[in-house]
């Protein structure tokens, strides 16, 4: 009886050691996750300039309902994480009106953001004609005549966190910033932002 017990004792000790190791590893991973758990970055629109917004000149290559738009946005990106830096890649941005794109996607350069920091970027978006429906073209003309246009800036890309010595996987990023701008046909340059534009960040 004693020989059988002594034979199985090393196996039990080995199993107990493995279980303790797994438990400690799990507790350590949980602590690291709670310490380094990153928050999503914050995006906000500081200013908007419109250099062109309206129907382009119709031709054989450009339909009568094409919208030609050139805009510039100053976007503040804040990393609220005190323990994690952020790297952004494959960024692009475009503008929509009533859920229909009125600019082609514009590629943006990669960005690296230190911990607990903020950076402002000012991309110029648009410049070429984009085909839209007749309702969108007429609605935009009506809003310009009224002096208030509802726009959405969409930013796509991916990001990864660097919390301490670790690297997170890449996450797909979708940012949408809704705004009301004071815009009138024929007026070019800086336009007023009406209210406080809000930006939502989704992964």
């Amino acid at each position: 009886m004693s020989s059988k017990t002594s034979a199985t004792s090393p196996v039990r000790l080995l199993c107990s050691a493995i279980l303790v190791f797994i438990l400690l590893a799990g507790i350590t991973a949980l602590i690291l996750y709670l310490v380094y758990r990153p928050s999503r970055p914050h995006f906000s629109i500081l200013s908007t300039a419109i250099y062109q917004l309206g129907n382009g000149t119709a031709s054989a290559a450009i339909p009568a309902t094409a919208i030609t738009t050139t805009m510039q946005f100053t976007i503040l990106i804040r990393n609220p994480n005190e323990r994690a830096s952020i790297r952004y890649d494959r960024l692009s941005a475009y503008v929509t009106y009533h859920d229909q794109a009125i600019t082609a996607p514009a590629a943006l350069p990669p960005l690296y953001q230190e911990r607990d920091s903020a950076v402002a970027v000012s991309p110029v978006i648009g410049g070429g004609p984009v085909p839209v429906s007749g309702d969108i073209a007429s609605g935009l003309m009506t809003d310009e005549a009224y002096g208030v246009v509802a726009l959405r800036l969409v930013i796509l890309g991916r990001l990864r966190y660097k919390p301490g010595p670790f690297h997170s996987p890449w996450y797909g990023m979708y940012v949408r910033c809704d705004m009301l701008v004071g815009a009138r046909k024929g007026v070019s340059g800086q336009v007023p932002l009406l209210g406080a534009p809000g930006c939502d960040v989704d992964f």
Side-chain angles (χ1 to χ4, degrees):
M1 190 72 174
S2 61
S3 62
K4 186 179 293 186
T5 303
S6 62
T8 57
S9 180
V11 176
R12 290 182 177 178
L13 288 175
L14 179 60
C15 291
S16 298
I18 292 174
L19 289 174
V20 170
F21 175 78
I22 293 174
L23 180 62
L24 291 176
I27 293 174
T28 302
L30 177 61
I31 292 173
L32 289 175
Y33 172 77
L34 293 175
V35 170
Y36 290 107
R37 178 178 53 181
S39 300
R40 297 181 183 188
H42 298 161
F43 286 70
S44 57
I45 304 296
L46 299 182
S47 64
T48 301
I50 298 179
Y51 302 110
Q52 189 175 15
L53 177 62
N55 295 348
T57 303
S59 66
I62 302 175
T65 56
I67 298 295
T68 302
T69 306
T70 305
M71 301 182 180
Q72 185 173 24
F73 299 90
T74 299
I75 308 159
L76 183 68
I77 307 173
R78 191 172 75 84
N79 175 12
N81 299 286
E82 297 182 353
R83 296 185 177 90
S85 56
I86 304 177
R87 185 177 298 277
Y88 306 86
D89 193 20
R90 299 181 183 176
L91 297 172
S92 63
Y94 62 94
V95 180
T96 69
Y97 171 78
H98 288 195
D99 295 325
Q100 186 165 350
I102 59 173
T103 70
L108 306 180
L111 178 66
Y112 177 78
Q113 195 166 18
E114 295 287 352
R115 295 171 292 178
D116 193 21
S117 64
V119 61
V121 295
S122 298
V124 176
I125 303 173
V130 176
V132 298
S133 68
D135 290 341
I136 292 296
S138 61
L140 183 58
M141 292 178 62
T142 300
D143 287 350
E144 280 189 285
Y146 183 68
V148 178
V149 180
L151 299 173
R152 170 178 287 181
L153 174 66
V154 177
I155 303 173
L156 302 175
R158 63 177 191 169
L159 63 79
R160 73 186 302 179
Y161 297 98
K162 187 179 182 300
F166 308 102
H167 287 274
S168 76
W170 287 102
Y171 298 103
M173 182 183 68
Y174 175 68
V175 181
R176 56 190 184 280
C177 302
D178 293 319
M179 68 196 85
L180 290 174
V181 299
R184 289 190 179 275
K185 191 172 183 62
V187 177
S188 177
Q190 198 87 4
V191 296
L193 291 171
L194 308 178
C199 296
D200 295 321
V201 181
D202 291 327
F203 289 168

